[in-house]
């Protein structure tokens, strides 16, 4: 792997091959709540999403985690910090080896056990995800913190039930399940927003980030299923315990002189 999350190819080495990783608008960041400014211009443009209930999806093991590719036709994200309508391209998750780490954004230094990312692109201004990923306002990613709870997350269970089919890098599974995205998002729309980047190479500085304050819950068992994914292909003959994707989060980068805005009750 030319980049990854181990000591010899992890986040501290990325800038060698991916110079954008050393930029001034990188993600994730620590959300210092004392620095957040509440911005009335955000209040009257409530962030609004519409996702279809029944859709066909493809889940793939990227070697860095699982990713669900949506065929974002009738999806829409608008309002809040966004000036245009964005379409959902894919969603995925980041987690750690233990439950006291795993999220990419942190809040006053606190990490959550995992973080869900719903990746959208500005289909009003640009003609493809690829084009949008090279623009400063090209992508809009919703970040949702996940904390350990007693109950399984029923919506995530539909995804987790497919993971045994994609244990090795490169494997994918086509499924048409009715996913209620609404329940993958917290009840409260309280969020922070700032200008940032992709949190993995090539680390393009093309993301308008919206991170929800309220976490959703996931069970320990469900998180263990995530950690059972492998970063290597089926043909890579390695020990059973090797190559497990137990950690795939980038630690926070400096906010620098960026503005962190907050909106919500
Ligand atoms: C850069 C790019 C292009 Cl262009 C294409 N493409 O297909 O045209 N695919 N990718 C890869 C990609 O999407 N990476 C990505 C990385 C981090 C995140 S995260 N954690 O949400 O910040 C979201 C996505
Ligand atoms: Zn991500």
């Amino acid at each position: 792997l030319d980049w990854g999350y181990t000591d010899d190819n992890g986040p501290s080495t990325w800038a060698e091959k991916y110079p954008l990783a050393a930029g001034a608008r990188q993600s994730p960041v620590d959300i210092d709540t004392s620095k957040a400014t509440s911005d009335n211009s955000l209040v009257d443009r409530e962030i609004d999403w519409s996702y279809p209930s029944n859709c066909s999806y493809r889940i793939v093991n990227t070697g860095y985690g699982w990713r669900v590719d949506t065929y974002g036709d009738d999806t829409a994200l608008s309002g809040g910090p966004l000036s245009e309508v964005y379409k959902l391209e894919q969603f995925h998750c980041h987690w750690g080896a233990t439950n006291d780490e795993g999220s990419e954004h942190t809040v006053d230094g606190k990490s959550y056990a995992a973080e869900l990312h719903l990746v959208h692109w500005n289909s009003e201004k640009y003609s493809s995800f690829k084009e949008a990923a090279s623009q400063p306002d090209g992508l809009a990613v919703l970040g949702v913190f996940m904390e350990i709870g007693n109950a399984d997350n029923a919506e995530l269970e539909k995804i987790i039930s497919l993971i045994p089919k994609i244990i090795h890098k490169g494997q994918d599974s086509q499924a048409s399940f009715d996913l209620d995205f609404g329940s993958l998002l917290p009840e409260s729309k309280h969020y922070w927003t700032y200008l940032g980047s992709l949190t993995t190479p090539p680390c393009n500085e093309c993301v308008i980030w919206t991170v929800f304050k309220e976490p959703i819950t996931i069970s320990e068992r469900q998180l263990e299923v995530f950690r059972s994914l492998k970063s290597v292909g089926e043909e890579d003959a390695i020990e059973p315990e090797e190559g497990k994707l137990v950690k795939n989060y980038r630690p926070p980068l400096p906010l620098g002189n960026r503005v962190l805005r907050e909106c919500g009750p």
Side-chain angles (χ1 to χ4, degrees):
L1 287 174
D2 65 344
W3 66 270
Y5 296 93
T6 66
D7 293 344
D8 55 12
N9 67 6
S12 60
T13 73
W14 291 353
E16 293 159 23
K17 291 181 186 163
Y18 300 94
L20 296 178
R25 182 190 147 164
Q26 288 292 293
S27 292
V29 296
D30 175 50
I31 293 167
D32 178 339
T33 56
S34 69
K35 272 192 201 159
T37 56
S38 62
D39 182 322
N40 295 332
S41 72
L42 288 172
V43 174
D44 53 19
R45 297 172 61 251
E46 190 176 68
I47 199 155
D48 189 48
W49 54 76
S50 83
Y51 299 125
S53 61
N54 194 326
C55 244
S56 71
Y57 302 100
R58 169 179 174 264
I59 186 168
V60 57
N61 178 331
T62 60
Y64 303 110
W66 59 265
R67 188 190 72 211
V68 173
D69 295 328
T70 63
Y71 306 107
D73 299 337
D74 45 359
T75 63
L77 176 70
S78 60
L82 308 176
S83 307
E84 286 91 21
V85 178
Y86 289 64
K87 277 193 188 327
L88 180 65
E89 171 77 9
Q90 51 106 325
F91 60 95
H92 62 274
C93 210
H94 301 264
W95 58 85
T98 56
N99 298 341
D100 58 357
E101 58 174 26
S103 64
E104 299 211 296
H105 292 89
T106 54
V107 181
D108 295 335
K110 171 192 164 63
S111 290
Y112 286 87
E115 185 172 331
L116 181 69
H117 288 159
L118 294 112
V119 182
H120 306 72
W121 62 282
N122 191 334
S123 57
E124 206 172 300
K125 269 178 89 169
Y126 309 114
S127 56
S128 69
F129 176 83
K130 191 175 181 67
E131 182 194 359
S134 66
Q135 308 295 329
D137 61 351
L139 303 189
V141 182
L142 298 182
V144 184
F145 292 123
M146 302 166 99
E147 66 182 6
I148 301 294
N150 297 327
D152 283 351
N153 180 305
E155 284 317 303
L156 279 175
E157 193 54 32
K158 295 173 187 169
I159 294 159
I160 286 162
S161 63
L162 296 169
I163 287 191
K165 297 181 182 174
I166 58 163
I167 289 296
H168 290 98
K169 177 181 177 183
Q171 290 179 320
D172 71 342
S173 170
Q174 185 65 39
S176 65
F177 39 81
D178 58 333
L179 206 55
D180 169 15
F181 285 93
S183 61
L184 286 180
L185 298 169
E187 278 169 32
S188 163
K189 286 194 174 179
H190 189 132
Y191 63 86
W192 294 284
T193 181
Y194 75 98
L195 298 181
S197 73
L198 302 177
T199 66
T200 71
C203 299
N204 302 11
E205 297 186 334
C206 62
V207 182
I208 298 174
W209 276 97
T210 298
V211 180
F212 289 104
K213 179 176 181 181
E214 184 189 316
I216 61 171
T217 58
I218 181 173
S219 69
E220 173 72 47
R221 179 195 66 81
Q222 291 179 310
L223 201 46
E224 280 302 324
V225 176
F226 288 178
R227 297 182 183 122
S228 70
L229 282 169
K230 296 221 167 194
S231 61
V232 293
E234 212 164 359
E235 63 287 345
D236 298 281
I238 57 170
E239 295 306 311
E241 275 312 298
E242 267 188 275
K244 286 181 77 175
L245 254 173
V246 289
K247 167 177 165 185
N248 60 2
Y249 70 92
R250 185 188 196 184
L253 288 304
L255 182 69
N257 62 0
R258 286 178 280 178
V259 174
L260 175 66
R261 296 187 289 166
E262 175 170 23
C263 180

